[in-house]
Structure formats: structure tokens, C-alpha cells
Amino acid sequence: MADATLVDAQDLFRGLPRRYDLLAEVLSFGQNRRWRHAMVDAAARTSPDALRVLDVATGTAGVALYWTDRARVEVTGIDLTAQMLRRGRENVARRGRADRIRLLQGRAEQLPFPDASFDAVTFTYLLRYVQDPAATLVELARVLKPGGALASLEFAVPGNPGWHAAWVGYTRGVLPLAGYLTGGREWGHVGNFLGPSISGHYRTHPVERIVDYWHGAGVADVRTRRMSLGGGLVMWGRKNAASADG
């Protein structure tokens, strides 16, 4: 089952890198960048002295680049999809940040780093693509130093009935068509996938349960911030100082 999840994620993102950054902004009404900045800002406030950062599901390196805009840090980005990383390396080189950002291919469930390697860890749109979110959070916390910040960005489902109805209409109707018209078959496929995927994820893993997963991974002071009428969710916390072994 885990291998099927791995293949599905690779298949979904393989055809997206060329126009990913532009279309991600267009199809989110310009909110994607704002959400990513909110996540990094929360992590940076929690770990103001961070020097080494890990960004998981880094994609085309947008979060990694903002980290280096925001603070004097060195960032390691890791992602499952080689094509996304290739585009990410182009973006890093274009910005002249190759000396501060390195990008690696790998899985969030099996990070190739020793315990307590990083001062802060961020991850974006990840938990829907792993078989066991709770176990993945344990692995993310393992490589985080005690006292360091863990922060995430995920899509979310609005709770307000009116905004929820509008969200369902957008994700089931407008998004697939807009994706196809602006990005072709690959983005049309993503548009059809996203709404049901997000709804299904939160039916199985409600936000309150995800907060429990963070606590179970040894992360304290977990906070959540709903963004853009509930369409995005930023979450952050601090690894327990006693959790030296992750």
C-alpha cells in the first residue's frame, strides 16, 4: 500500500514542474505564496536562531528560497519527484542561492539524516500523500533538534457552511476546468484529484487528530492558523526539549 502511494504521488507531479509555480498561484487565487510565507514566518519565530533548516516536499524550492530570504540559514530540501527537483535547482540557480540551498530526492517517511540534524523543519502539502501521517510526523521530528520548530502548510476544508459550499463548487467544478484550460491534461488531472483528496484526508484525519499526531511525535505548543476563509491550514510547534531521541 505504501508503494502504491509513492507511485501515485510521483505520477501526479511528474508532468507539472514547467508551469507549477505560475499555475499554483493562479489556481489558488494568489494565496499559495501567502500561505507558504505564513508557515516559514511561524517557524522562524519559533526558532529565531535556526541555522540549518530541512524543507520536506520542497517541490520547486519555493519555500526553501523564502527561508533564505527570511533568515541567514542553510536549507536542505527533499522531495520525491525528480522532475520537480530539476525545476527547483533551476530556480535556486537563477536566484543565486546554490551556496545556501541543496536539493535531494527522498521520502519523508525515511529521511536520510541522523537524529537531531536540523534547527527547524517545514513541510508543505505532504500528509495526504503518505500512508501513515502519524508515523511520518515521528520521522520528521526525529531529525529535528530538541527545542526546534516544526511547521506545516496543508490545504483545508472550510468549516463555515457557506464557504464550505463555495469550496466544494470550486474544487469539484471550477478547479478541474481551470486547470485543464491553463495547464493542459496534467493540471486537469490535478484539478479533478485535489478536492476529493482533501475532503477524504480530513474525514480520516480531522485536524484535532492531526494535532494529536504532532503531540505523539514529541512536539509541544502546537498551534493552528486557518488561512483564506479556511482553505489553507498552517500548523506549527516546538519539539520537546526532553525528546532528544525524536
Side-chain angles (χ1 to χ4, degrees), residues 28-60:
S28 69
F29 296 105
Q31 296 304 296
N32 178 64
R33 181 178 302 178
R34 176 172 169 261
W35 295 348
R36 292 187 307 187
H37 287 188
M39 174 188 65
V40 172
D41 290 346
R45 288 193 304 270
T46 303
S47 294
D49 299 322
L51 297 175
R52 298 190 65 210
V53 173
L54 175 65
D55 183 49
V56 181
T58 197
T60 58

Side-chain angles (χ1 to χ4, degrees), residues 104-122:
L104 306 173
Q105 187 172 12
R107 300 180 61 185
E109 303 95 321
Q110 296 175 321
L111 295 170
F113 310 110
D115 295 353
S117 296
F118 298 95
D119 302 302
V121 174
T122 51

Side-chain angles (χ1 to χ4, degrees), residues 21-88:
D21 298 298
L22 173 62
L23 290 176
E25 293 303 319
V26 171
L27 297 180
S28 69
F29 296 105
Q31 296 304 296
N32 178 64
R33 181 178 302 178
R34 176 172 169 261
W35 295 348
R36 292 187 307 187
H37 287 188
M39 174 188 65
V40 172
D41 290 346
R45 288 193 304 270
T46 303
S47 294
D49 299 322
L51 297 175
R52 298 190 65 210
V53 173
L54 175 65
D55 183 49
V56 181
T58 197
T60 58
V63 170
L65 285 165
Y66 182 61
W67 261 114
T68 59
D69 289 339
R70 177 71 165 70
R72 293 297 304 175
V73 296
E74 294 183 356
V75 183
T76 299
I78 191 165
D79 198 273
L80 187 65
T81 307
Q83 291 86 346
M84 296 288 276
L85 289 170
R86 189 176 303 119
R87 185 67 171 182

